[in-house]
Amino acid sequence: MTVSALTVLGVHGVRNHQPGLTPDQAGTRLAGWWQDGLVKGLSRNAIDEIPPLATEVAYYAHHLNRSTAQGDEDPALLPEPLQQQIIDWTRLLGVPDDTAQGWLTAPARAAVSWTASRYGLDRRPLSILTNALFREVDRYFTDPEARQSVRGEVVDALVRTRPRVVIAHSLGSVVAYEALWSPAATGLAPLDLLITLGSPLAVPGIVFDRLAEHPGPRGIPPGVRRWVNLADPGDVIAVPKGGVARVFEGVTDLPGKQIGLFSYHQVTKYLAAESVAESLRSVV
């Protein structure tokens, strides 16, 4: 008997621009990485036969990418509003008020240095990640044309692939949430499972309060049967630490198991995590 493949649509996070490739080529490259990660997790954690997967990734990074001559590594070179957001983010991570108030010179740089020290991370890659995150998040929320284009890529992929599972990482969880609430998506066949990984959806001010309005409370989008959220305890992007379920109705926050070295918010270890494998097996 032929077993039909489990269709999975991935929505990537920050720092995924693929220079030199067309959007279709970039999506294919990312889909290969995501497929490998999911198969690895299923192989390592599966009790039964591994279900065949058909994985695609909705690629949108080209709509948010802006080449910059400077500031790739130094938060102090970002626009002042983004520097303030970095400081606000650090407060959510637990920086004492007296420490934050003492950052009179290059406070955003000091905030990232404090975070690196607090979580045992190397400052330079964390600075690169932080700059990329706040740049891309800011452009998504302040550039209506870019936001519409990014969201449109995900809606188009939903319509084209009709997936049973959507897996969204980092900023991709924000995009997927808004896309799944759009009229074009709500009319599709029910989605069995939404998995969000390392999601900043619950971050007040910077993300949560800037989400598009929709009917009813923040919660599971129409047509989604189940939403689970996973965040590594060491993922400094997935704040506040209370989880997405704290402010989104109906979400299940999976136990915060250590899935491995934080690895600077990369998706590969998330995809191979035991919790993701168990969630996928629940819909086979």
Side-chain angles (χ1 to χ4, degrees):
M1 181 179 67
T2 302
V3 180
S4 59
L6 176 63
T7 53
V8 177
L9 177 65
V11 187
H12 66 76
V14 299
R15 296 195 71 221
N16 270 291
H17 184 238
Q18 305 294 312
L21 300 182
T22 67
D24 286 345
Q25 290 170 335
T28 299
R29 170 185 281 183
L30 294 183
W33 295 341
W34 282 55
Q35 174 95 356
D36 289 346
L38 292 172
V39 169
K40 179 180 179 181
L42 287 166
S43 300
R44 186 172 62 208
N45 299 296
I47 298 173
D48 305 316
E49 183 179 353
I50 300 171
L53 299 179
T55 306
E56 292 196 28
V57 171
Y59 180 73
Y60 63 80
H62 55 302
H63 295 299
L64 298 180
N65 180 67
R66 279 178 174 165
S67 298
T68 54
Q70 60 180 358
D72 287 336
E73 300 177 15
D74 189 353
L77 298 179
L78 290 173
E80 196 283 329
L82 299 192
Q83 294 191 47
Q84 184 58 54
Q85 289 181 18
I86 289 174
I87 296 168
D88 294 342
W89 160 67
T90 312
R91 291 182 187 277
L92 294 171
L93 290 170
V95 62
D97 285 340
D98 56 350
T99 299
Q101 291 167 5
W103 293 335
L104 301 179
T105 303
R109 184 190 301 153
V112 173
S113 294
W114 178 90
T115 303
S117 177
R118 170 68 174 78
Y119 286 85
L121 304 171
D122 185 57
R123 185 190 61 80
R124 183 175 179 271
L126 181 61
S127 295
I128 294 172
L129 169 63
T130 302
N131 283 18
L133 173 73
F134 283 90
R135 277 200 185 104
E136 292 188 33
V137 168
D138 182 70
R139 186 167 189 199
Y140 181 76
F141 283 118
T142 62
D143 185 332
E145 183 176 349
R147 187 175 187 172
Q148 181 177 2
S149 297
V150 167
R151 201 160 48 192
E153 296 286 357
V154 176
V155 171
D156 289 348
L158 287 167
V159 172
R160 183 182 71 255
T161 63
R162 304 296 175 101
R164 291 183 59 195
V165 178
V166 169
I167 304 177
H169 175 235
S170 180
L171 175 59
S173 67
V174 178
V175 181
Y177 181 80
E178 292 196 340
L180 287 166
W181 273 98
S182 69
T186 57
L188 299 176
L191 184 72
D192 288 325
L193 179 64
L194 168 64
I195 304 176
T196 49
L197 307 171
S199 175
L201 270 165
V203 179
I206 300 168
V207 175
F208 181 79
D209 300 292
R210 303 164 83 181
L211 293 171
E213 295 294 330
H214 59 65
R218 301 295 186 196
I220 299 180
V224 176
R225 291 194 171 109
R226 184 175 177 229
W227 176 1
V228 298
N229 178 67
L230 173 65
D232 187 291
D235 191 337
V236 296
I237 305 304
V239 293
K241 295 304 179 183
V244 169
R246 185 179 61 83
V247 288
F248 288 85
E249 293 185 2
V251 182
T252 300
D253 276 315
L254 300 176
K257 298 179 181 179
Q258 194 78 33
I259 63 169
L261 182 65
F262 166 54
S263 195
Y264 298 95
H265 202 52
Q266 294 179 8
V267 73
T268 48
K269 289 191 176 181
Y270 272 124
L271 294 173
E274 179 182 358
S275 297
V276 173
E278 291 175 351
S279 297
L280 288 176
R281 288 203 303 273
S282 72
V283 300
V284 173

